[in-house]
Amino acid sequence: MTNTARATFGGKFGVLMATLGTAVGLGNIWRFPYMCGAHGGGAFLLVFILCILFLGLPVMITEFFIGRHSQRNVTGAFDVLAPGTRWNLIGYNGVITSFLILGFYTVVSGWTLEYMFQSVFYSFEHKTAVDIKADFSAFSTDIVRPLFWTLMVVLITQIVIMSGVKKGIERSAKVLMPLLFVFLLLLAIRSVTLPNASVGLRYLFEPDFSKIDSAAILSAMGQAFFSLSIGMGCLITFSSYFGKNTNMQETAFQVNIISILVAILAGVIIFPAAFSFGIQPTAGAELVFITLPNVFAQLPWGNLWAFFFYALLAVAAITSVISLHEVVTLYLHEEHHISRKKAAYYVSFAVVILASISSLSLGYLKEYTLFGLTFFDFLDYITAKIMLPLGGMMICIFVGYRIEKRILKAELTNEGTIPFYFFNSYAFFVKYLAPVAIALILLYEIGVFKFLAGLF
Ligand code: TRP
C-alpha cells in the first residue's frame, strides 16, 4: 500500500462536513436524549459539555495528529509512529470497538428506516401516545422487521464503501448535514410551542446536582466520546484522508461545538414533547422513537415532515455506520492485503450476524442477559463507557509520552504556517489531565474507591 494512492477529502467545507457526517448521528439525536433522560436532565447536560470541551477536544486533535501524520489505518498508524512496539494494541482495541458498536448502531439505524417507511404508508395522525408506544414495542421486539431493516442498512453501507470514500461520504454529507440541521431547528420550534413545553425545557436546562453520581459522570463521559466518534481511531482513519493544508485545530473545534449544539437541539425537541405527551424521560432507548411521532401527529402534513425527518436521520446514521465500517475494512485491506471490496464484504457479513443477535436480544432472546444487561445494552455499555474512554486515554498517553513535542506541534500547525495559541495547555491536557481524569472516572465507576474506602 503506497501512501500516494490514498484519497484525500477536497476543500475545507468538505473536510468539515465529512467529519460531521461521522460525528453527528444517532449519538446526538437518539442516544443523547436517552442518556440525559436516564440521568436527570440538566446536570447531565452540563457534565457532558465539560467532558466534550476538556476531554473530547484534546483527544480529537490528538487523533487527527496520529491519522494525518502517519497516513495509515488505525493499527498501521501506530506501527509507523512507534515501529516494533505494542502501541498498535490501541489500534486493535479500535477495530474491535468499531465492530461492537456496529452491532447495535446498525439496528437503531434500521429503526429509522422503518419509521421513514411507516410515515409513508401509515399515518401517525390519529394515534394516541399510548398507541405509538405500543407500536414501537411491537416493532422492536419483532423478529423479522428489525432484521430486515438492519440488513438494508448494512447493504447501503456496503455499496457506499465500495464506491469509494471521497465520492460516497463527502458528497452526501455536504448536502445532507446542513439540511438535517435546518430540520432539527424547525422541529425544535414546534416542540417548544407545545403545551407544557416549559417543564421539558426546565428539565433540560436546570441542573439538579443531586442527580450527579458516578454513573451519571461515566455516562456523560461515554456520551461525549461516543458523540464525537473518538477513542477508537475512527478519526485516525478519517484524518488520514485529510490534506496537508487542513486546519485540524479549527476542524476539531467546529466539530465539538456543532456536536454539542445538535445534542442540545435534540434535547430541546425531545424533552418538551415528552413532558407534553406524558412520556417519561427515563424511557430508555425507545425515548426518541416514542416521542417524535407524537410531535408529527400534531403537525399539519405530519407524515410528510416525519418522512423527511426520518430520512435525514437515517442518512446521518448511515454516514456514521460507514465511518465505523471503514475502520474495520481499511484495517483488513491495508494490514492483511485483502482487496477493499472483499474486506468490506467480510465486515458486512460479520456485522449482520452480530446485529441480528443484538436486535433479537430486545425481544425473542430477552432472557439471555450478560451482567444483567441484554446483549444490545451490553454492547452499548462496554463500548461507550469502557472501551472508548480507555482508548482515548491510551491515545493521550501514547502521544503525550512517545511523540516529540516538536513533531506534534509541526503537524498541528501545518509546519508552522498556522498558529496554535494554546499548544502548551493542549500538550499538558494530553499528557497529564486527560489520562488522569479518564482513569479516575473509570476506576470510580468500577467501584475501586468504594472498595478501598471499605478497607480502612
Ligand atoms: N458519533 C456517532 C454518533 O454520534 C457515532 C459514531 C461514528 C461513533 N463513529 C464512531 C462512535 C466511532 C464512537 C466511535 O452517532
Side-chain angles (χ1 to χ4, degrees), residues 82-137:
T85 66
R86 298 309 289 162
W87 285 104
N88 59 11
L89 285 175
I90 302 176
Y92 289 103
N93 175 60
V95 173
I96 296 168
T97 312
S98 291
F99 179 63
L100 297 181
I101 292 177
L102 282 167
F104 66 95
Y105 203 96
T106 49
V107 174
V108 183
S109 307
W111 297 350
T112 65
L113 289 180
E114 159 81 16
Y115 272 71
M116 180 177 123
F117 178 80
Q118 278 197 18
S119 38
V120 179
F121 292 98
Y122 307 95
S123 176
F124 296 123
E125 254 161 59
H126 303 294
K127 286 193 175 147
T128 62
V130 175
D131 298 334
I132 287 171
K133 187 168 175 344
D135 285 351
F136 179 80
S137 344

Coordinates of all heavy atoms in Angstrom, one line a residue, residues 82-137:
A82 N 5.5 4.3 16.0 CA 6.3 3.6 17.1 C 6.6 2.2 16.6 O 6.0 1.2 17.1 CB 5.5 3.6 18.4
P83 N 7.5 2.1 15.6 CA 7.7 0.8 14.9 C 8.2 -0.3 16.0 O 8.9 0.1 16.9 CB 8.8 1.1 13.9 CG 9.0 2.5 13.9 CD 8.3 3.1 15.1
G84 N 7.8 -1.5 15.8 CA 8.2 -2.6 16.6 C 7.7 -2.6 18.0 O 8.3 -3.3 18.9
T85 N 6.7 -1.8 18.4 CA 6.2 -1.7 19.7 C 4.8 -2.3 19.8 O 4.2 -2.6 18.7 CB 6.2 -0.3 20.3 OG1 5.2 0.4 19.6 CG2 7.5 0.4 20.2
R86 N 4.3 -2.4 20.9 CA 2.9 -2.9 21.1 C 1.9 -1.8 21.2 O 0.7 -2.0 21.5 CB 2.8 -3.9 22.3 CG 3.6 -5.1 22.2 CD 3.4 -5.9 20.9 NE 2.1 -6.5 20.7 CZ 1.6 -6.9 19.6 NH1 2.3 -6.7 18.5 NH2 0.5 -7.5 19.5
W87 N 2.3 -0.6 20.9 CA 1.3 0.5 20.9 C 0.2 0.3 20.0 O -0.9 0.8 20.1 CB 2.0 1.9 20.6 CG 2.8 2.4 21.7 CD1 4.2 2.4 21.8 CD2 2.4 3.0 22.9 NE1 4.6 3.0 23.0 CE2 3.5 3.4 23.7 CE3 1.1 3.3 23.4 CZ2 3.4 4.0 24.9 CZ3 1.0 3.9 24.7 CH2 2.2 4.3 25.4
N88 N 0.5 -0.6 18.9 CA -0.6 -0.8 18.0 C -1.8 -1.5 18.6 O -2.9 -1.7 18.0 CB -0.1 -1.5 16.8 CG 0.6 -2.9 17.1 OD1 0.4 -3.3 18.2 ND2 1.2 -3.5 16.1
L89 N -1.7 -2.0 19.9 CA -2.8 -2.6 20.5 C -4.0 -1.6 20.6 O -5.1 -1.9 20.7 CB -2.4 -3.0 22.0 CG -1.6 -4.3 22.0 CD1 -1.2 -4.6 23.5 CD2 -2.4 -5.5 21.5
I90 N -3.6 -0.3 20.7 CA -4.6 0.8 20.8 C -5.5 0.6 19.5 O -6.7 0.8 19.5 CB -4.0 2.2 20.8 CG1 -3.1 2.3 22.0 CG2 -5.1 3.3 20.8 CD1 -2.4 3.6 22.1
G91 N -4.8 0.4 18.4 CA -5.5 0.2 17.1 C -6.4 -1.0 17.1 O -7.5 -1.0 16.6
Y92 N -5.9 -2.1 17.7 CA -6.7 -3.3 17.7 C -7.9 -3.1 18.6 O -9.0 -3.5 18.3 CB -5.9 -4.5 18.2 CG -4.9 -5.0 17.2 CD1 -3.6 -4.7 17.3 CD2 -5.3 -5.7 16.0 CE1 -2.7 -5.1 16.3 CE2 -4.4 -6.1 15.1 CZ -3.1 -5.8 15.2 OH -2.2 -6.1 14.3
N93 N -7.7 -2.4 19.7 CA -8.9 -2.0 20.5 C -9.9 -1.2 19.7 O -11.1 -1.5 19.8 CB -8.4 -1.2 21.7 CG -9.6 -0.6 22.6 OD1 -10.3 -1.4 23.1 ND2 -9.7 0.7 22.7
G94 N -9.4 -0.4 18.8 CA -10.3 0.4 18.0 C -11.1 -0.4 17.0 O -12.3 -0.3 16.8
V95 N -10.4 -1.4 16.4 CA -11.0 -2.2 15.4 C -12.1 -3.0 16.1 O -13.3 -3.1 15.6 CB -10.0 -3.2 14.7 CG1 -10.7 -4.2 13.8 CG2 -9.0 -2.4 13.9
I96 N -11.8 -3.6 17.2 CA -12.9 -4.4 17.9 C -14.0 -3.5 18.4 O -15.2 -3.8 18.2 CB -12.2 -5.1 19.1 CG1 -11.2 -6.1 18.7 CG2 -13.3 -5.8 20.0 CD1 -10.3 -6.7 19.7
T97 N -13.7 -2.3 18.9 CA -14.7 -1.4 19.4 C -15.7 -1.0 18.2 O -16.9 -1.0 18.4 CB -14.1 -0.1 20.0 OG1 -13.1 -0.5 20.9 CG2 -15.2 0.7 20.7
S98 N -15.1 -0.7 17.1 CA -15.9 -0.3 15.9 C -16.9 -1.4 15.6 O -18.1 -1.2 15.4 CB -15.1 -0.3 14.6 OG -14.2 0.8 14.6
F99 N -16.4 -2.6 15.6 CA -17.2 -3.8 15.2 C -18.3 -3.9 16.2 O -19.5 -4.1 15.9 CB -16.3 -5.0 15.2 CG -17.0 -6.3 14.9 CD1 -17.7 -6.4 13.6 CD2 -17.1 -7.3 15.8 CE1 -18.4 -7.6 13.3 CE2 -17.7 -8.5 15.5 CZ -18.4 -8.6 14.3
L100 N -18.0 -3.8 17.5 CA -19.0 -4.0 18.6 C -20.1 -2.8 18.5 O -21.3 -3.1 18.7 CB -18.4 -4.0 20.0 CG -17.5 -5.2 20.2 CD1 -16.9 -5.2 21.6 CD2 -18.2 -6.6 19.9
I101 N -19.6 -1.6 18.2 CA -20.6 -0.5 18.1 C -21.5 -0.8 16.9 O -22.8 -0.6 17.0 CB -19.9 0.8 17.9 CG1 -19.1 1.2 19.2 CG2 -20.9 1.9 17.6 CD1 -18.3 2.5 19.1
L102 N -21.0 -1.3 15.8 CA -21.8 -1.6 14.6 C -22.9 -2.6 15.0 O -24.0 -2.5 14.5 CB -20.9 -2.2 13.5 CG -20.1 -1.1 12.7 CD1 -19.1 -1.8 11.9 CD2 -21.0 -0.3 11.9
G103 N -22.6 -3.4 16.0 CA -23.6 -4.4 16.4 C -24.9 -3.9 16.9 O -25.9 -4.5 16.8
F104 N -24.9 -2.7 17.5 CA -26.2 -2.1 17.9 C -26.5 -0.9 17.1 O -27.7 -0.6 16.9 CB -26.2 -1.8 19.4 CG -25.3 -0.7 19.9 CD1 -25.8 0.6 20.0 CD2 -24.0 -1.0 20.3 CE1 -25.0 1.6 20.4 CE2 -23.2 0.1 20.7 CZ -23.7 1.3 20.8
Y105 N -25.5 -0.2 16.6 CA -25.8 1.0 15.9 C -26.6 0.7 14.6 O -27.5 1.5 14.2 CB -24.5 1.7 15.6 CG -24.6 3.2 15.3 CD1 -24.3 4.1 16.3 CD2 -24.9 3.7 14.1 CE1 -24.4 5.5 16.1 CE2 -24.9 5.1 13.8 CZ -24.7 5.9 14.9 OH -24.8 7.3 14.6
T106 N -26.2 -0.4 13.9 CA -26.9 -0.7 12.7 C -28.4 -1.0 13.0 O -29.3 -0.8 12.1 CB -26.3 -1.9 11.9 OG1 -26.1 -2.9 12.9 CG2 -24.9 -1.5 11.3
V107 N -28.6 -1.6 14.1 CA -30.0 -2.0 14.5 C -30.9 -0.7 14.6 O -31.9 -0.6 14.1 CB -30.1 -2.8 15.8 CG1 -31.5 -3.0 16.2 CG2 -29.3 -4.1 15.6
V108 N -30.3 0.3 15.4 CA -31.1 1.5 15.6 C -31.2 2.3 14.3 O -32.2 2.9 14.0 CB -30.4 2.4 16.7 CG1 -31.2 3.6 16.9 CG2 -30.3 1.6 18.0
S109 N -30.1 2.2 13.4 CA -30.3 2.9 12.1 C -31.4 2.2 11.3 O -32.1 2.9 10.6 CB -29.0 2.7 11.3 OG -27.9 3.1 12.0
G110 N -31.5 0.9 11.5 CA -32.7 0.2 10.8 C -34.0 0.7 11.3 O -34.9 0.9 10.5
W111 N -34.1 1.0 12.6 CA -35.4 1.6 13.2 C -35.7 2.9 12.4 O -36.9 3.1 12.2 CB -35.2 1.9 14.6 CG -35.0 0.7 15.5 CD1 -35.1 -0.6 15.1 CD2 -34.7 0.7 16.9 NE1 -34.8 -1.4 16.2 CE2 -34.5 -0.7 17.3 CE3 -34.5 1.7 17.9 CZ2 -34.2 -1.0 18.6 CZ3 -34.2 1.3 19.2 CH2 -34.0 0.0 19.5
T112 N -34.7 3.7 12.1 CA -35.0 5.0 11.5 C -35.6 4.7 10.1 O -36.5 5.4 9.6 CB -33.8 5.9 11.3 OG1 -32.9 5.3 10.5 CG2 -33.2 6.2 12.7
L113 N -35.1 3.6 9.4 CA -35.7 3.3 8.1 C -37.1 2.8 8.2 O -38.0 3.2 7.4 CB -34.8 2.2 7.4 CG -33.4 2.7 6.9 CD1 -32.7 1.5 6.2 CD2 -33.6 3.8 5.9
E114 N -37.4 2.0 9.2 CA -38.7 1.5 9.5 C -39.7 2.7 9.7 O -40.8 2.8 9.1 CB -38.8 0.6 10.7 CG -40.1 0.5 11.4 CD -41.1 -0.6 10.7 OE1 -40.5 -1.4 9.9 OE2 -42.3 -0.5 11.0
Y115 N -39.2 3.7 10.5 CA -40.1 4.9 10.7 C -40.3 5.7 9.5 O -41.3 6.3 9.3 CB -39.6 5.7 11.9 CG -40.2 5.1 13.2 CD1 -39.8 3.8 13.7 CD2 -41.2 5.7 13.9 CE1 -40.4 3.3 14.8 CE2 -41.8 5.2 15.0 CZ -41.4 3.9 15.4 OH -42.0 3.4 16.5
M116 N -39.2 5.8 8.7 CA -39.3 6.5 7.4 C -40.4 5.8 6.5 O -41.3 6.5 6.0 CB -38.0 6.5 6.7 CG -37.9 7.1 5.4 SD -36.2 7.0 4.9 CE -36.4 6.2 3.3
F117 N -40.3 4.5 6.5 CA -41.3 3.8 5.7 C -42.7 3.9 6.3 O -43.6 4.2 5.5 CB -40.8 2.3 5.8 CG -41.6 1.3 5.1 CD1 -41.5 1.1 3.7 CD2 -42.5 0.5 5.8 CE1 -42.3 0.2 3.1 CE2 -43.3 -0.4 5.2 CZ -43.2 -0.6 3.8
Q118 N -42.8 3.8 7.6 CA -44.1 4.0 8.2 C -44.7 5.3 7.9 O -46.0 5.4 7.8 CB -44.0 3.8 9.7 CG -44.0 2.4 10.2 CD -44.3 2.3 11.7 OE1 -44.8 3.2 12.3 NE2 -43.9 1.2 12.3
S119 N -43.9 6.4 7.8 CA -44.5 7.7 7.6 C -45.1 7.8 6.2 O -45.9 8.7 6.0 CB -43.5 8.8 8.0 OG -42.3 8.5 7.6
V120 N -44.7 6.9 5.3 CA -45.3 7.0 4.0 C -46.6 6.2 4.0 O -47.6 6.6 3.5 CB -44.3 6.4 2.9 CG1 -45.0 6.4 1.6 CG2 -43.0 7.1 2.9
F121 N -46.5 5.0 4.6 CA -47.7 4.1 4.4 C -48.7 4.1 5.6 O -49.8 3.6 5.4 CB -47.1 2.7 4.2 CG -46.4 2.6 2.9 CD1 -45.1 2.7 2.8 CD2 -47.2 2.4 1.7 CE1 -44.4 2.6 1.6 CE2 -46.5 2.4 0.5 CZ -45.1 2.5 0.4
Y122 N -48.3 4.6 6.7 CA -49.3 4.7 7.8 C -49.3 6.1 8.3 O -48.4 6.8 8.0 CB -48.9 3.8 9.0 CG -48.6 2.4 8.7 CD1 -47.3 2.0 8.5 CD2 -49.7 1.5 8.6 CE1 -47.0 0.7 8.2 CE2 -49.4 0.2 8.3 CZ -48.1 -0.2 8.1 OH -47.8 -1.5 7.8
S123 N -50.4 6.5 9.0 CA -50.4 7.8 9.4 C -50.2 7.8 10.9 O -50.8 7.0 11.6 CB -51.8 8.4 9.1 OG -51.9 9.7 9.6
F124 N -49.4 8.8 11.4 CA -49.3 8.9 12.9 C -50.5 9.7 13.4 O -50.7 9.8 14.6 CB -48.0 9.6 13.2 CG -46.8 8.9 12.9 CD1 -45.8 9.5 12.1 CD2 -46.5 7.6 13.3 CE1 -44.7 8.8 11.7 CE2 -45.4 7.0 13.0 CZ -44.4 7.6 12.2
E125 N -51.3 10.3 12.5 CA -52.2 11.4 12.8 C -53.2 11.0 13.9 O -53.4 11.8 14.8 CB -52.9 11.8 11.6 CG -52.5 13.2 11.2 CD -52.9 13.5 9.7 OE1 -54.1 13.5 9.5 OE2 -51.9 13.7 8.9
H126 N -53.9 9.9 13.8 CA -54.9 9.6 14.8 C -54.5 8.8 15.9 O -55.3 8.2 16.7 CB -56.1 9.0 14.0 CG -56.6 9.9 12.9 ND1 -57.1 11.2 13.2 CD2 -56.5 9.8 11.6 CE1 -57.4 11.8 12.1 NE2 -57.0 11.0 11.1
K127 N -53.2 8.7 16.1 CA -52.7 7.8 17.1 C -52.5 8.5 18.5 O -52.1 9.7 18.5 CB -51.4 7.1 16.7 CG -51.6 6.1 15.7 CD -50.4 5.2 15.5 CE -50.8 4.1 14.5 NZ -49.6 3.7 13.7
T128 N -52.8 7.8 19.5 CA -52.5 8.4 20.9 C -51.1 8.1 21.3 O -50.5 7.2 20.7 CB -53.5 7.9 21.9 OG1 -53.2 6.5 22.0 CG2 -54.9 8.1 21.5
A129 N -50.6 8.7 22.3 CA -49.3 8.4 22.8 C -49.2 7.0 23.2 O -48.1 6.3 23.0 CB -49.0 9.3 24.0
V130 N -50.3 6.4 23.7 CA -50.3 5.0 24.1 C -50.1 4.1 22.9 O -49.3 3.1 22.9 CB -51.5 4.7 24.9 CG1 -51.6 3.2 25.3 CG2 -51.6 5.5 26.2
D131 N -50.8 4.4 21.9 CA -50.7 3.6 20.6 C -49.3 3.6 20.1 O -48.7 2.6 19.7 CB -51.6 4.1 19.5 CG -53.1 4.1 19.9 OD1 -53.4 3.2 20.7 OD2 -53.8 4.9 19.3
I132 N -48.7 4.8 20.1 CA -47.4 5.0 19.5 C -46.4 4.2 20.2 O -45.5 3.5 19.7 CB -47.1 6.5 19.5 CG1 -47.9 7.2 18.4 CG2 -45.6 6.7 19.2 CD1 -47.8 8.7 18.3
K133 N -46.5 4.2 21.6 CA -45.6 3.4 22.4 C -45.8 1.9 22.1 O -44.8 1.1 22.0 CB -45.9 3.7 23.9 CG -44.9 3.1 24.8 CD -45.1 3.7 26.2 CE -44.3 3.2 27.3 NZ -43.6 2.1 27.5
A134 N -47.0 1.5 22.1 CA -47.3 0.1 21.8 C -46.8 -0.4 20.5 O -46.2 -1.5 20.3 CB -48.8 -0.2 21.9
D135 N -46.9 0.5 19.5 CA -46.4 0.2 18.1 C -44.9 0.0 18.1 O -44.4 -0.9 17.5 CB -46.7 1.3 17.1 CG -48.2 1.3 16.8 OD1 -48.9 0.4 17.1 OD2 -48.6 2.3 16.1
F136 N -44.2 0.9 18.9 CA -42.8 0.7 18.9 C -42.4 -0.6 19.6 O -41.5 -1.3 19.1 CB -42.1 1.9 19.6 CG -40.6 1.7 19.6 CD1 -39.8 2.0 18.5 CD2 -39.9 1.2 20.8 CE1 -38.5 1.8 18.5 CE2 -38.6 1.0 20.7 CZ -37.8 1.3 19.6
S137 N -43.0 -0.9 20.7 CA -42.6 -2.2 21.3 C -42.9 -3.3 20.5 O -42.1 -4.3 20.4 CB -43.2 -2.5 22.7 OG -43.8 -1.7 23.3

